[in-house]
Amino acid sequence: MAHRILHLSDTHVSRTGPDEDGVDAVSALERILHDARHVPDLDLVLVTGDIADDGSYEGCVAVREMVGAYAAERGVPHVYTTGNHDDRAAFTRALGSGHLDDGGRDVGRLAGGSAGKRAAVSDVGGLRVITLDSLVPGSVHGELDGGQVAWLRGQLATPAPYGSVVALHHPPLHVDWAPFMRNDGLRDRNLLADAVAGTDVRAVLCGHFHLQLSGTMNGVPVWTTPGVVTRNDRTCPPDRIRGVLGAGATVVDLGGPFSPVFLTLHARDPRAGEQVYLVDAVSWDDVDED
């Protein structure tokens, strides 16, 4: 049986709408959802973190309402993970476990003993959807504690009818010539790699870097979807980060002849590619264009 996921990430909506760089985050999300309206036969909408740019409850609710309306029209669930910009208390208040059905009801089963972390699991037509909480408050990078990894291993000990997907904000892969990826991604990636090796995990789905990036981890495909609020333009020097306008998303196909397949969508934005910021990749201070 095939499953199709619309994978979004990094919506960065604040209580006032724009993100900290002044980008209209609400319009960016509305644009990509509108332009993804013709994607057929979806089974799930997934948003992998940085729901609220300011960590606010109001930002989480705004995203839940927009994504939830899109999902409800298609009769499919919508699932969320925490990101480094998110606040667990606000996320929990707005999104519960992060696993919502097409009517907005919380259907996720939280990891036991998670101390408030939003690691959870739900079933989507025989596909097991597992979300992990890699948020380290006050930090850009992500981590997974031993309790989450042990819980993940327990979930994966028994195969699901149509396999599993694991979703988290921080990618467990990077490219060496972009040092910020190595520093700001998932720190304890080997724990995750060992946990999914030899299991029924069809893909690990992430966000955070605001760009599309693929690789494998112990033979398991890993995909990082582009950001909604901005895109990371890697034509800049390796020690810099250039953010440009242009919302993106991914259609993930599982179970077909080429599974998994990752198709990137770009919103039809007349300002796409317009620079929002150019910063030093370590200090995040503004720098001049070379």
Side-chain angles (χ1 to χ4, degrees):
M1 181 175 178
H3 290 82
R4 179 166 294 153
I5 301 170
L6 179 65
H7 180 194
L8 308 169
S9 196
D10 298 271
T11 50
H12 283 266
V13 173
S14 73
R15 59 171 48 88
T16 58
D19 75 347
E20 62 186 358
D21 298 301
V23 177
D24 188 340
V26 171
S27 292
L29 179 55
E30 289 176 338
R31 189 180 296 274
I32 191 63
L33 289 174
H34 175 77
D35 287 349
R37 67 192 182 280
H38 298 305
V39 177
D41 304 322
L42 282 173
D43 297 287
L44 170 68
V45 183
L46 171 68
V47 188
T48 49
D50 280 3
I51 311 301
D53 188 69
D54 56 358
S56 66
Y57 166 77
E58 293 84 356
C60 289
V61 169
V63 174
R64 183 194 70 198
E65 290 181 349
M66 286 185 282
V67 173
Y70 178 94
E73 287 178 0
R74 289 150 183 84
V76 302
H78 42 124
V79 171
Y80 306 80
T81 78
T82 56
N84 54 288
H85 274 258
D86 293 309
D87 174 83
R88 284 196 183 99
F91 181 101
T92 301
R93 184 181 168 202
L95 298 163
S97 70
H99 293 238
L100 308 181
D101 70 8
D102 60 334
R105 293 173 290 273
D106 192 341
V107 294
R109 302 183 298 279
L110 283 167
S114 59
K117 295 183 180 180
R118 301 289 92 183
V121 61
S122 62
D123 176 87
V124 178
L127 176 70
R128 180 166 48 200
V129 180
I130 299 172
T131 54
L132 301 176
D133 185 342
S134 56
L135 166 61
V136 180
S139 298
V140 178
H141 73 272
E143 296 177 3
L144 297 175
D145 60 71
Q148 278 195 77
V149 174
W151 172 79
L152 174 63
R153 287 181 179 274
Q155 294 296 313
L156 297 175
T158 303
Y162 298 108
S164 302
V165 293
V166 173
L168 72 162
H169 184 63
H170 294 87
L173 76 172
H174 61 267
V175 293
D176 285 337
W177 56 269
F180 82 93
M181 292 189 188
R182 181 173 59 252
N183 297 331
D184 297 343
L186 186 70
R187 291 283 175 89
D188 42 5
R189 53 184 62 89
N190 289 337
L191 292 177
L192 179 59
D194 291 344
V196 301
T199 68
D200 70 349
V201 174
R202 295 185 173 186
V204 175
L205 305 177
C206 312
H208 188 51
F209 287 158
H210 291 227
L211 48 74
Q212 56 263 43
L213 181 69
S214 66
T216 59
M217 185 176 61
N218 280 356
V220 177
V222 179
W223 174 257
T224 300
T225 194
V228 170
V229 70
T230 49
R231 177 173 62 85
N232 186 334
D233 177 4
R234 294 314 306 158
T235 63
C236 64
D239 60 347
R240 299 181 180 182
I241 300 174
R242 177 189 284 126
V244 301
L245 296 178
T250 303
V251 178
V252 181
D253 277 353
L254 302 170
F258 312 111
S259 177
V261 173
F262 308 103
L263 172 66
T264 303
L265 306 180
H266 298 286
R268 293 167 54 83
D269 185 348
R271 296 177 63 193
E274 181 179 313
Q275 183 170 299
V276 176
Y277 56 81
L278 181 66
V279 299
D280 181 273
V282 176
S283 68
W284 280 83
D285 293 331
D286 290 336
V287 295
D288 294 328
E289 184 78 62
D290 288 340

